[in-house]
Amino acid sequence: MRLQFLASEKRSPNQFTVLVRNVPPDPDESVSELVEHFFLVNHPNHYLTHQVVYNANKLATLVKKKKKLQNWLVYYNNKYSRDPSKRPFMKTGFLGLWGNRVDAIDHHGSEIEKLSKEIAAEREKVANDPKSIMPAAFVSFKTRWGAAVCAQTQQSRDPTIWLTDWAPEPRDVYWENLAIPYVSLTVRKLIIGVAFFFLTFFFMIPIAFVQSLASLEGMEKAAPFLKPVVEKKFIKSVIQGFLPGIVLKLFLIFLPTILMIMSKFEGFISLSSLERRSASRYYLFNFVNVFLGSIIAGSAFEQLDSFIHQSPSEIPKTIGVAIPMKATFFITYIMVDGWAGIAGEILMLKPLIIYHLKNFFLVKTEKDREEAMDPGSLGFNTGEPRIQFYFLLGFVYATVTPAILPFIIIFFGLAYVVFRHQIINVYNQEYESAAAFWPDVHGRILTALVISQVLLMGLLSTKKAALSTPFLIALPVLTIWFHMFCKGRFESAFVKYPLQEAMMKDTLERAREPGINMKGYLQSSYIHPVFKASVDDDEYEEENSENWEKESVIVPTKRQSRRNTPVPSRVSGASSPSLPEAIQEHPKP
């Protein structure tokens, strides 16, 4: 299905473009010249153009600040036009609460003019300062076939340089992280891995406290003075039924934001990869804290004495008893988190509240109002792992407490109807990843199945059917085998693009649009958004539509030494031959 979708997809820049990272430094050539020379030599028939990556984060901050000031200027001009007899004034201090009292229109006009000069100077600095040019580039090819060959092969003898991968869609690029040096990514991953471990581990403390609320005896022990209150029938039913699920939901509200910040620090370069990593962590967090934490903290901690005084062989019996004990909690959790969450999704309560808050405090112009009304995109980083968590609950409790299944089935039915409507009619599509989430989804569902089978073995070992437990070992073994089969059969479609498919799509496109100007189409696709306003379109029409189909001319290198000169793959030996010799050895077919 993925390959069929890619075959029917309209032409887009990412189909022809590769992101090259870790470009080695060269004393004689700039990054741009080095990239051009390398690909003209190693991909002479397919290389088309490239765009180096700039560290324009400071420039982006200035541009954002200028847009904000321009918006304020529009607001004050509108205010003045409604009442020309009264000029608007403001204070220059924090939030306009103190400072010098000045004319608002003149002040913002002068600030914008000053900022425009700073932006022009910063743009000039970024474009000309070698330190602002990152050792990376977006390299575009004449055909999808050429891009596929480059993206899926090793470019250099040294596997740590000239690293290539498919470029994300231009709208999918997270530009801020392109400025992160490639060598620091490993360190960042290590830091975030440790931070996520501690976040997951220490979150067990409030989870354990929340789960203690599910037991009236535990609450009465902690606060004896509440005993007359909690013994009342209504209070007792609320505490045992809904309070634990509600408090747990409140704890999890800020988790997606924390995980997304961690993913951004880790250095992913596309919004889709940021959401995929956040979704993986969100699911793992839910599994450890909400599932295991609820079972162990809520039940196993209550039986801590038996854990200490029992032999290790008796521990599975304790866990087997603990899982059914928490079925009631998970039923209420599904109702509080699942059913109520779906109802909130169709009502759009959170965006509605945020819109009215923005409209009351922040909206000054029509542009602000449009931005405040923007529904955003579907949150894959939260919605997808939450749905998979209910798969886990269904698998685990299907054989233990089947009464939980109707609640989960109702959730899935509501979720299908609601999210189908939201995706079609409400949310904006932020990017197109062509089902890049599916390998993660498939892997996590099968992992949940294996977990449920292992827990079922632990449960049956406590019953009269203990002798049948060894026969159940076949279940996780067969499930893992099935996962390995699916991984070998289908995963390649999500990590590689078959050359046969690329050639077929290129051939069809050439037949339908023989005169398309690919250089004009691709050359400005991956320019940083802060530069696009100043790009002169005439620069990209230097070559007419006929030139792109011809072979690229090898440009002479400025390098004084031939030590690092890339050469065609057939050439081998201790020393690299000169460029004319390499060309003579590979005459045009």
Side-chain angles (χ1 to χ4, degrees):
M1 290 175 65
R2 174 180 163 89
L3 293 178
Q4 184 179 0
F5 174 83
L6 293 175
S8 61
E9 192 179 22
K10 292 182 180 180
R11 180 174 61 245
S12 60
N14 56 295
Q15 298 170 1
F16 301 86
T17 306
V18 170
L19 176 61
V20 184
R21 308 186 78 172
N22 232 24
V23 177
D26 190 280
D28 302 310
E29 292 184 326
S30 65
V31 172
S32 181
E33 292 169 336
L34 186 61
V35 169
E36 182 181 26
H37 176 250
F38 180 88
F39 283 95
L40 281 174
V41 170
N42 293 281
H43 299 268
N45 300 323
H46 302 284
Y47 167 76
L48 183 62
T49 184
H50 73 278
Q51 176 62 52
V52 294
V53 174
Y54 295 95
N55 182 358
N57 290 347
K58 183 179 178 182
L59 179 60
T61 303
L62 293 175
V63 171
K64 186 177 180 181
K65 185 177 178 182
K66 181 181 176 181
K67 287 181 179 179
K68 186 177 179 182
L69 289 175
Q70 287 173 332
N71 201 43
W72 274 106
L73 182 60
V74 171
Y75 165 73
Y76 284 118
N77 279 325
N78 291 340
K79 188 176 181 180
Y80 179 63
S81 64
R82 289 192 293 267
D83 186 8
S85 62
K86 187 178 179 181
R87 294 279 291 187
F89 284 86
M90 61 170 287
K91 293 182 178 180
T92 57
F94 178 70
L95 293 177
L97 299 176
W98 58 73
N100 297 327
R101 192 167 183 271
V102 295
D103 185 291
I105 296 176
D106 294 341
H107 174 73
H108 281 91
S110 62
E111 288 294 315
I112 290 171
E113 185 178 351
K114 188 190 304 181
L115 206 55
S116 297
K117 294 179 181 178
E118 289 184 37
I119 289 173
E122 182 65 22
R123 184 183 287 118
E124 188 73 19
K125 177 185 175 183
V126 169
N128 299 319
D129 185 5
K131 294 181 180 179
S132 298
I133 301 175
M134 304 304 297
F138 290 101
V139 180
S140 298
F141 294 83
K142 298 172 184 176
T143 61
R144 296 174 183 83
W145 190 92
V149 170
C150 179
Q152 297 166 182
T153 55
Q154 183 173 316
Q155 303 301 310
S156 170
R157 183 182 302 173
D158 184 350
T160 63
I161 61 174
W162 296 106
L163 304 177
T164 57
D165 199 1
W166 284 105
E169 277 187 311
R171 60 178 175 169
D172 190 22
V173 177
Y174 187 67
W175 293 97
E176 292 180 19
N177 280 0
L178 284 175
I180 298 175
Y182 187 82
V183 293
S184 68
L185 293 181
T186 305
V187 178
R188 285 170 173 260
K189 287 180 180 179
L190 177 62
I191 293 172
I192 291 301
V194 174
F196 178 68
F197 171 80
F198 280 103
L199 174 68
T200 306
F201 179 78
F202 284 109
F203 207 84
M204 290 288 288
I205 298 173
I207 291 288
F209 173 74
V210 169
Q211 291 308 312
S212 69
L213 296 178
S215 169
L216 283 175
E217 293 79 10
M219 179 175 286
E220 290 173 358
K221 286 180 182 178
F225 59 90
L226 292 177
K227 187 174 181 178
V229 178
V230 299
E231 287 296 334
K232 293 182 179 179
K233 188 174 181 181
F234 175 75
I235 301 295
K236 187 176 182 179
S237 61
V238 170
I239 291 175
Q240 287 184 318
F242 289 99
L243 186 61
I246 293 173
V247 176
L248 181 60
K249 181 68 176 174
L250 292 174
F251 271 112
L252 297 174
I253 284 178
F254 300 103
L255 180 64
T257 304
I258 296 171
L259 296 179
M260 182 59 74
I261 291 172
M262 293 171 73
S263 297
K264 288 178 179 178
F265 179 82
E266 199 169 348
F268 291 97
I269 60 166
S270 65
L271 300 174
S272 55
S273 58
L274 285 171
E275 291 200 336
R276 283 200 297 276
R277 178 51 64 93
S278 295
S280 298
R281 291 199 172 115
Y282 192 80
Y283 178 80
L284 182 60
F285 188 94
N286 273 342
F287 174 71
V288 173
N289 287 288
V290 180
F291 182 71
L292 292 182
S294 298
I295 292 173
I296 297 172
S299 297
F301 279 7
E302 293 171 1
Q303 304 178 32
L304 188 58
D305 290 337
S306 60
F307 261 129
I308 295 173
H309 298 102
Q310 283 176 356
S311 64
S313 61
E314 294 294 315
I315 292 177
K317 183 182 293 186
T318 305
I319 297 177
V321 173
I323 294 171
M325 287 173 61
K326 281 298 164 183
T328 305
F329 166 76
F330 283 119
I331 289 175
T332 58
Y333 180 79
I334 292 167
M335 295 172 67
V336 171
D337 181 76
W339 292 9
I342 292 299
E345 177 67 37
I346 194 64
L347 294 174
M348 301 287 286
L349 289 176
K350 182 180 174 183
L352 182 66
I353 295 170
I354 292 175
Y355 165 72
H356 282 292
L357 289 174
K358 286 183 175 180
N359 192 36
F360 187 78
F361 292 105
L362 302 176
V363 170
K364 302 175 291 296
T365 63
E366 284 302 317
K367 182 181 177 183
D368 286 342
R369 196 178 308 278
E370 289 178 9
E371 292 178 354
M373 292 180 68
D374 182 16
S377 62
L378 182 67
F380 279 106
N381 58 317
T382 55
E384 180 259 339
R386 184 176 65 171
I387 289 173
Q388 288 188 331
F389 181 68
Y390 292 124
F391 266 105
L392 172 66
L393 293 181
F395 286 150
V396 169
Y397 282 99
T399 53
V400 177
T401 313
I404 202 174
L405 293 181
F407 295 90
I408 295 177
I409 291 171
I410 291 172
F411 166 78
F412 280 130
L414 293 173
Y416 172 76
V417 174
V418 168
F419 279 112
R420 186 176 184 274
H421 171 269
Q422 301 295 86
I423 291 170
I424 295 173
N425 300 314
V426 179
Y427 288 122
N428 299 320
Q429 186 176 5
E430 199 169 15
Y431 57 81
E432 176 57 71
S433 65
F437 269 81
W438 176 248
D440 294 345
V441 172
H442 183 266
R444 286 197 282 268
I445 287 178
L446 288 182
T447 302
L449 193 57
V450 171
I451 291 169
S452 69
Q453 292 162 352
V454 171
L455 293 179
L456 176 63
M457 292 166 59
L459 175 65
L460 290 182
S461 67
T462 66
K463 308 297 180 182
K464 292 182 180 180
L467 295 177
S468 66
T469 303
F471 294 98
L472 296 177
I473 296 176
L475 289 178
V477 171
L478 290 174
T479 305
I480 293 170
W481 172 83
F482 177 71
H483 174 63
M484 294 173 65
F485 169 78
C486 290
K487 189 179 178 70
R489 174 63 181 85
F490 300 113
E491 191 182 37
S492 62
F494 295 87
V495 295
K496 297 175 183 176
Y497 186 42
L499 296 182
Q500 182 185 23
E501 296 286 325
M503 182 59 75
M504 287 171 58
K505 198 164 177 64
D506 287 332
T507 304
L508 285 173
E509 189 172 75
R510 284 174 182 267
R512 291 171 181 167
E513 303 177 70
I516 183 173
N517 179 8
M518 288 299 295
K519 190 163 188 176
Y521 173 69
L522 293 170
Q523 194 157 6
S524 60
S525 297
Y526 285 94
I527 292 180
H528 197 292
V530 297
F531 287 116
K532 284 197 172 182
S534 62
V535 170
D536 185 5
D537 294 333
D538 294 335
E539 292 178 6
Y540 302 127
E541 301 297 334
E542 292 177 354
E543 299 185 15
N544 56 34
S545 59
E546 298 176 359
N547 289 343
W548 76 273
E549 295 184 7
K550 298 179 181 178
E551 275 199 352
S552 300
V553 179
I554 301 294
V555 294
T557 178
K558 296 181 180 179
R559 189 180 289 105
Q560 298 171 359
S561 168
R562 292 188 288 108
R563 182 179 57 185
N564 295 324
T565 302
V567 295
S569 58
R570 292 184 189 176
V571 178
S572 59
S575 62
S576 300
S578 63
L579 196 56
E581 292 172 350
I583 296 172
Q584 287 173 9
E585 288 186 24
H586 298 83
K588 185 188 297 185

